[in-house]
Amino acid sequence: QDLIELEAHLVLLLVATPTHSALTPPPLASSHRTSPSPDPLLLLYSSFSSLPPLFKNTSLNKMGICGSTPYKGAEKNVVIVGGGYAAVYLCAHFQKSMHNLRITILSPGDYFDVAWASPRAIAEPAGANRNVIQFSKIFKNGRVKHKSGSAASVSKTAVTTNTGEVLPYDVLVIATGALYPAGSGDVTALKATPGIDTAAARVKQLRDLGAKVAGAKGVMVVGAGFSGLEVAGEIAYTYPNLPVKLFTGSKPLGHGMPASVQKGLVASFAKKTNVTVITGPRGSAADAEQHGCDVVFMCTGMVPTTSFLQGGDLAGALDAKGFVQTTPTLQVKGFSNVFSFGDCASPSQSPSMSGYHTINAAAGVVGPNIIRMLNGEALKPVKPAEEGGMITLNKSEGAGYMGTMVFPNFLVKMMKSGDLFRGKMSGELTGAPPSFVK
């Protein structure tokens, strides 16, 4: 779901070779490497094992040069608003670069929340501490400064924080993401909510919800997108005697996905005797009691976190739903020195920017384009990404696809299902062995 280039690398190997029945490749030896017809699964494993660390071949490290010419002009202020995946991913690049930039990330929390792993943390709350990585461990060389707070308003030249502090900028990046709205039930905790400003508080929030699920009489999940499927799958697996009601709305489970993925998902949930898949009128939190549920996850309709732009100089860049409208170069419409990507950006304007795996690709455009703009060079557009990703139902089951290419279950299990990249991401972002809060 998050590592599009790594996924594509492996998928191309899979689709280019016939399926092999063995799951354990023979030992690597010169005879295998020079054979005119190598074992296809050996080729897959060999390629996988030869890859550098997790982000080595992804946009994050490719951005290390950030354009053909490093920026060495007068020092510029770059303010990045947001503390989620898009913002941190971009900051992690700038921390490794040697450009003459003063980088400030404005976020109320002191940590990065591995939000895609929230369903696992809720189902297995003992491991919820693996979902947070403290900024103090990520931004430690002085090139990126974390400013605690949130944006209250934005002008053409500065961001005013909720405490009244003014942060002048030469370049602004809006990467504030999106949240589930009030009234969505317990699903709001899938992402760190306002007021949860420390890593310890976030771990407690996840564990408290995990305890609530453990003691529930029934769990209602509305929405069968990636989040809904993963919430239902993880909870149903951990608590096989807990009734889980999965509402798919007017369309069947797996609608819009490749036929083989849809078939696999239907079969997987059919095997879970505690799961009832309900297709028809969309459920709501008000319906929970009649379905015997006291925990509700409304996994539909996230709202962009952009209210701070309303009434200011950038208000005209918002669409009717509050998403930030951008150009193909990921500049905010009407503002050459303001960029936006991630879940707060309008999917109709920039379809490749929504979802974790495509945020990687967008970050690989925003960073270099900032440097190109400062150097007076032509900017490059983002390439539209195909829909898809990896869906983890539990530690041993999953599904995935990218466009029309389908990922086999064993590949999803091997790459993502075990720890959901949490340990590897901690190591890569901090440059140290994985270390988590207690």
Side-chain angles (χ1 to χ4, degrees):
Q1 181 171 335
D2 319 300
L3 307 175
I4 187 171
E5 295 191 23
L6 184 58
E7 291 175 359
H9 185 93
L10 294 172
V11 170
L12 287 174
L13 285 170
L14 286 171
V15 299
T17 55
T19 303
H20 193 282
S21 59
L23 290 182
T24 304
L28 294 178
S30 59
S31 60
H32 290 292
R33 289 194 295 268
T34 58
S35 171
S37 301
D39 183 292
L41 196 61
L42 171 61
L43 180 62
L44 170 65
Y45 270 77
S46 176
S47 176
F48 183 79
S49 63
S50 68
L51 287 172
L54 188 63
F55 294 132
K56 192 82 176 268
N57 280 340
T58 64
S59 343
L60 176 61
N61 276 344
K62 285 183 178 179
M63 287 163 55
I65 57 172
C66 206
S68 58
T69 306
Y71 177 70
K72 298 297 184 182
E75 187 177 61
K76 300 292 186 182
N77 290 320
V78 178
V79 175
I80 300 172
V81 183
Y85 189 70
V88 171
Y89 209 56
L90 183 60
C91 284
H93 148 67
F94 280 122
Q95 179 169 256
K96 296 179 180 181
S97 70
M98 298 301 293
H99 305 295
N100 192 21
L101 303 172
R102 184 187 294 113
I103 311 294
T104 300
I105 178 172
L106 178 64
S107 171
D110 67 359
Y111 61 94
F112 167 55
D113 179 36
V114 187
W116 62 84
S118 293
R120 176 72 54 82
I122 293 166
E124 300 179 5
N129 60 314
R130 299 182 66 82
N131 276 47
V132 296
I133 306 170
Q134 292 162 301
F135 284 159
S136 60
K137 296 179 180 179
I138 301 175
F139 307 127
K140 53 190 177 182
N141 66 5
R143 291 180 186 158
V144 176
K145 179 181 179 182
H146 169 232
K147 176 72 65 175
S148 181
S150 57
S153 63
V154 175
S155 71
K156 295 179 180 178
T157 58
V159 175
T160 301
T161 73
N162 59 317
T163 61
E165 184 175 1
V166 177
L167 304 177
Y169 67 82
D170 297 293
V171 179
L172 173 65
V173 180
I174 302 168
T176 46
L179 295 173
Y180 289 100
S184 298
D186 299 290
V187 74
T188 54
L190 288 187
K191 289 191 171 188
T193 50
I196 306 297
D197 295 339
T198 67
R202 175 58 175 157
V203 173
K204 183 178 185 302
Q205 182 185 35
L206 290 167
R207 286 178 173 163
D208 286 349
L209 181 52
K212 183 178 180 180
V213 168
K217 63 181 181 181
V219 174
M220 180 179 187
V221 180
V222 179
F226 279 32
S227 294
L229 292 172
E230 292 187 339
V231 168
E234 293 280 5
I235 292 175
Y237 176 80
T238 303
Y239 302 103
N241 295 319
L242 175 64
V244 176
K245 306 293 179 67
L246 175 59
F247 288 77
T248 69
S250 61
K251 296 176 181 176
L253 183 67
H255 175 79
M257 300 179 186
S260 60
V261 174
Q262 183 180 30
K263 182 179 179 181
L265 289 171
V266 170
S268 178
F269 279 103
K271 289 187 299 183
K272 295 174 174 59
T273 57
N274 60 327
V275 176
T276 303
V277 177
I278 302 172
T279 300
R282 172 179 156 179
S284 69
D287 303 327
E289 186 173 350
Q290 71 181 67
H291 290 284
C293 299
D294 50 355
V295 173
V296 181
F297 292 91
M298 294 289 297
C299 298
T300 59
M302 286 199 297
V303 176
T305 311
T306 58
S307 60
F308 62 93
L309 296 175
Q310 296 173 2
D313 292 340
L314 276 68
L318 300 176
D319 69 12
K321 294 184 178 180
F323 290 97
V324 181
Q325 300 178 85
T326 66
T327 67
T329 54
L330 303 187
Q331 292 165 292
V332 173
K333 283 191 171 183
F335 300 89
S336 62
N337 65 329
V338 183
F339 296 78
S340 184
F341 71 114
D343 289 339
C344 67
S346 174
S348 63
Q349 296 294 326
S350 304
S352 65
M353 292 193 298
S354 295
Y356 294 111
H357 71 286
T358 48
I359 286 175
N360 292 5
V365 172
V366 172
N369 274 350
I370 288 174
I371 302 306
R372 293 185 185 110
M373 182 201 68
L374 293 174
N375 283 332
E377 301 169 357
L379 277 60
K380 295 185 178 180
V382 67
K383 295 179 180 178
E386 292 187 285
E387 182 182 352
M390 289 188 172
I391 305 167
T392 297
L393 301 180
N394 52 64
K395 291 180 179 179
S396 60
E397 286 184 289
Y401 66 98
M402 193 65 62
T404 58
M405 294 186 295
V406 175
F407 305 166
N409 180 63
F410 86 88
L411 180 59
V412 177
K413 179 180 178 180
M414 178 177 70
M415 288 184 62
K416 182 186 176 187
S417 297
D419 190 47
L420 305 169
F421 304 127
R422 292 178 292 184
K424 286 187 175 292
M425 177 157 284
S426 175
E428 291 293 337
L429 288 177
T430 65
S435 174
F436 302 96
V437 298
K438 300 299 183 182

